[in-house]
């Protein structure tokens, strides 16, 4: 049974770069797109972007200029970097899996809380 | 891209049905058969409940059903049970920019 385990810095100052990593355990790494989704406190979900095992990415147009998603197939891990963070980037960040031939996220990580505060 | 519009809340008594709408545009919901629904309990990660408008993953009770007409998708929960009390989010693929857009979320309360 595939599991996603995620980690990263939980407290950042404005203008710093958010960095999170998600590791995939118990399943295939290829044949899927690996996604990042976030949820500000008390608010809804926002899709950030995704990457496949070949390194091809898709992004939310509203965040694209600040987002870098990368992959390390040797470790079955993928990562998110979000530059120039502000308080508006405070959120729970989730990693998730999408079968490349499908259009939904079927496996999710537990989430990582990231707070941006001076 | 703007979030899909959902009513903030819906409620029903145990055994009753509740329907949540999800309204988008022709660029997302209206132009896609790839609408999915997620259930989220407080402090937990979302769980896939419906995909491709009306299909249920293995293990999801058949009390959950999905439908779409034009730019609006809907999720119906029949035979409400206490454990159905949660937030529900719709999500649509937008093929114009290979991206996904979520709904604003609806809180379902079992009275």
């Amino acid at each position: 049974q595939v599991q996603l385990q995620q980690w990263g810095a939980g407290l950042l100052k404005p203008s710093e770069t958010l960095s999170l990593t998600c590791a995939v355990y118990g399943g295939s790494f290829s044949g899927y797109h690996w996604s990042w989704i976030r949820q500000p406190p008390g608010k809804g979900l926002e899709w950030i972007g995704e990457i496949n095992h070949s390194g091809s990415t898709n992004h939310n147009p509203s965040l694209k200029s600040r987002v870098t998603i990368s992959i390390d197939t040797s470790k079955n891990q993928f990562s998110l970097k979000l530059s120039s963070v502000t308080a508006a980037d405070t959120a729970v960040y989730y990693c998730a899996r999408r079968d490349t031939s499908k259009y939904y996220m079927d496996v999710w990580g537990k989430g990582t809380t990231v707070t941006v505060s001076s | 891209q703007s979030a899909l519009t959902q009513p903030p809340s819906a409620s029903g008594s145990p055994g009753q049905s509740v329907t949540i709408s999800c309204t988008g545009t022709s660029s997302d919901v209206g132009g896609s058969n790839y609408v999915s629904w997620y259930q989220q309990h407080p402090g937990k990660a979302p769980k896939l409940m419906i995909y491709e408008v009306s299909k249920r993953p293995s293990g999801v009770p058949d009390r959950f059903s999905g439908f779409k007409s034009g730019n609006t998708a809907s999720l119906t929960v029949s035979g409400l049970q206490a454990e159905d009390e949660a937030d529900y989010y719709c999500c649509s693929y937008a093929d114009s920019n290979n991206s996904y857009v979520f709904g604003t979320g609806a809180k379902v309360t079992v009275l």
Side-chain angles (χ1 to χ4, degrees):
Chain A
Q1 180 179 353
V2 63
Q3 292 186 347
L4 305 184
Q5 183 175 337
Q6 53 183 114
W7 65 89
L11 181 61
L12 297 172
K13 290 181 167 50
S15 80
E16 292 185 333
T17 295
L18 177 156
S19 182
L20 298 175
T21 299
C22 185
V24 180
Y25 297 103
S28 174
F29 202 57
S30 62
Y32 295 96
H33 275 72
W34 303 96
S35 309
W36 290 98
I37 299 105
R38 71 180 182 178
Q39 184 172 35
K43 296 187 178 181
L45 300 167
E46 180 180 35
W47 183 80
I48 299 171
E50 64 182 6
I51 189 168
N52 68 5
H53 73 281
S54 299
S56 177
T57 56
N58 296 308
H59 297 88
N60 184 325
S62 66
L63 295 170
K64 185 174 182 178
S65 63
R66 297 195 292 132
V67 168
T68 301
I69 299 175
S70 59
I71 197 164
D72 185 340
T73 54
S74 67
K75 296 181 180 179
N76 279 17
Q77 295 177 1
F78 60 106
S79 299
L80 168 71
K81 291 189 185 300
L82 179 66
S83 63
S84 304
V85 298
T86 69
D89 296 310
T90 294
V92 176
Y93 286 75
Y94 294 99
C95 57
R97 183 186 79 169
R98 176 178 76 82
D99 185 308
T100 294
S101 65
K102 308 295 184 182
Y103 295 87
Y104 53 84
M105 283 63 79
D106 65 341
V107 179
W108 294 64
K110 293 185 176 181
T112 299
T113 299
V114 176
T115 302
V116 181
S117 175
S118 55
Chain B
Q1 55 191 17
S2 298
L4 309 176
T5 300
Q6 297 181 238
S9 62
S11 62
S13 299
Q16 290 186 331
S17 296
V18 64
T19 296
I20 305 164
S21 62
C22 169
T23 301
T25 68
S26 58
S27 296
D28 37 63
V29 175
S32 172
N33 286 322
Y34 302 123
V35 176
S36 51
W37 289 88
Y38 300 85
Q39 176 192 67
Q40 186 181 35
H41 288 110
K44 300 295 187 181
K47 174 187 175 183
L48 178 69
M49 304 301 285
I50 295 286
Y51 66 96
E52 292 174 8
V53 175
S54 60
K55 299 178 181 179
R56 280 178 290 105
S58 173
V60 172
D62 60 6
R63 302 184 293 103
F64 291 85
S65 61
F67 179 76
K68 192 192 85 163
S69 178
N71 293 340
T72 299
S74 60
L75 173 74
T76 297
V77 186
S78 305
L80 271 173
Q81 299 183 5
E83 60 262 35
D84 299 332
E85 184 162 296
D87 293 326
Y88 291 83
Y89 293 91
C90 58
C91 181
S92 176
Y93 174 65
D95 65 2
S96 58
N97 48 27
N98 278 331
S99 64
Y100 293 81
V101 57
F102 282 93
T104 50
K107 181 176 179 58
V108 169
T109 300
V110 180
L111 301 171

